[in-house]
Amino acid sequence: GIYFKLKPGQALWIALLTISNGYLLWGYFSGMEIALQTFLTLTAIIVAAQETNKGKLKWLPIWLVLLTLIRPEGFIAGALIAFYIMYKNFRRAGNIASNKITNWFFVFAPFIAFSGQLLFYRLATGQWGSNTFILKMWWYMISPAGFFHLEILNKILKLLIVIFYFLPKAFVYVSNDIGLISFFGLGVMLAGIVLARRAENLNARMPLTIAWLIIFVTEFIALLNIYGVTEVTRRRYFIFLAPLSIFFILYAVIKTGELYRKNFSN
């Protein structure tokens, strides 16, 4: 209720429905670092919003580094937060130094941490990445090589297979994997983000709704590659996107109910 003016009872109802969600509980107790990743993602977003509105970064780089180190997807979220802060800082500030965010250069922290990880991979294994990408990404799994004589045509065919075969399935998969109601759930979530944005401070440098929408879409696209694993195992990779997704769905339900009571209860 801090950012979106919810009544205490409504906030409690959303919290209870979120923490009792079967998908979340299964993911958190599956043995994977999902709960920690969820905590660090939400904390980084909230701290970024708070500190950018104050105009001074202080604790954010610590959260961004921890988020980067815990999961590869964590770096994506941290990098997006960093780019967003840099964009808003230079776009809003212009040449007026007093309007700039103090210590804005702290946002380079996740990039430094990620570079350190890549260097470690290189020194330890002789390559710049992890073998898990090759084992799980459809781009490496699909091999239409030899279908055409020209390699460029084989690559185009591979891309077409990804776009027209895997991508349509992915929309349903990601919704089901984080406990939403298939396509309908994604639509309600988007409606909740729009309604929540109207309740936010329109002058905020980093609105939570916009930040989350950017992170959700980018992480969704990045995680589409996870197909070289079983359905149950793959489901764990999307769970960290569930809490705020569920929140915005329930927020849309609450606000729609309030609108109905206001206009049609009599």
Side-chain angles (χ1 to χ4, degrees):
I2 297 176
Y3 294 97
F4 305 114
K5 298 179 181 178
L6 288 170
K7 298 177 182 178
Q10 294 173 338
L12 178 61
W13 182 67
I14 290 178
L16 291 176
L17 288 177
T18 301
I19 63 175
S20 63
N21 181 275
Y23 288 82
L24 277 175
L25 294 177
W26 177 84
Y28 289 168
F29 290 102
S30 67
M32 197 171 169
E33 60 278 8
I34 299 170
L36 182 58
Q37 184 186 7
T38 302
F39 167 74
L40 292 174
T41 302
L42 297 178
T43 301
I45 294 174
I46 293 174
V47 172
Q50 292 175 338
E51 293 189 352
T52 52
N53 287 337
K54 292 179 181 178
K56 182 178 181 180
L57 300 186
K58 185 177 181 181
W59 299 106
L60 180 62
I62 296 177
W63 295 112
L64 293 181
V65 168
L66 292 175
L67 180 60
T68 298
L69 295 178
I70 195 63
R71 291 286 303 170
E73 308 91 272
F75 168 67
I76 296 176
L80 290 172
I81 292 173
F83 282 130
Y84 195 91
I85 291 176
M86 285 189 284
Y87 165 74
K88 297 298 289 187
N89 181 52
F90 291 106
R91 181 177 180 272
R92 296 274 306 270
N95 296 322
I96 304 177
S98 60
N99 287 338
K100 291 186 177 181
I101 299 174
T102 305
N103 297 334
W104 66 269
F105 48 84
F106 281 178
V107 297
F108 288 109
F111 299 99
I112 296 174
F114 186 67
S115 299
Q117 284 184 315
L118 296 181
L119 181 60
F120 172 78
Y121 286 143
R122 180 65 177 178
L123 294 175
T125 68
Q127 60 185 18
W128 292 101
S130 170
N131 287 332
T132 56
F133 289 103
I134 298 177
L135 293 173
K136 299 177 182 178
M137 293 176 68
W138 60 26
W139 188 255
Y140 294 100
M141 294 169 56
I142 303 174
S143 302
F147 194 85
F148 295 107
H149 293 292
L150 294 177
E151 180 61 25
I152 184 63
L153 295 180
N154 291 320
K155 291 184 179 297
I156 293 175
L157 177 60
K158 180 183 291 190
L159 180 61
L160 292 176
I161 293 173
V162 170
I163 293 175
F164 293 102
Y165 180 74
F166 284 105
L167 190 59
K169 291 185 176 181
F171 284 104
V172 177
Y173 284 156
V174 73
S175 301
N176 294 337
D177 290 349
I178 60 178
L180 305 185
I181 313 170
S182 196
F183 290 108
F184 180 74
L186 288 175
V188 177
M189 182 192 73
L190 181 60
I193 291 176
V194 173
L195 292 173
R197 176 66 187 127
R198 296 176 62 185
E200 275 188 308
N201 178 6
L202 298 180
N203 295 319
R205 288 195 175 188
M206 187 173 181
L208 289 177
T209 50
I210 296 178
W212 173 246
L213 183 60
I214 293 174
I215 289 176
F216 182 92
V217 172
T218 306
E219 295 280 15
F220 164 70
I221 294 173
L223 290 171
L224 291 183
N225 281 304
I226 306 299
Y227 268 84
V229 293
T230 63
E231 182 176 353
V232 174
T233 302
R234 187 198 68 241
R235 179 165 293 169
R236 296 183 301 175
Y237 291 92
F238 294 99
I239 292 293
F240 80 98
L241 294 172
L244 274 182
S245 302
I246 295 172
F247 169 82
F248 285 120
I249 286 177
L250 296 176
Y251 187 87
V253 172
I254 288 174
K255 292 305 175 182
T256 301
E258 290 179 350
L259 181 63
Y260 177 82
R261 287 196 303 269
K262 180 179 179 180
N263 295 302
F264 303 103
S265 58
N266 296 325

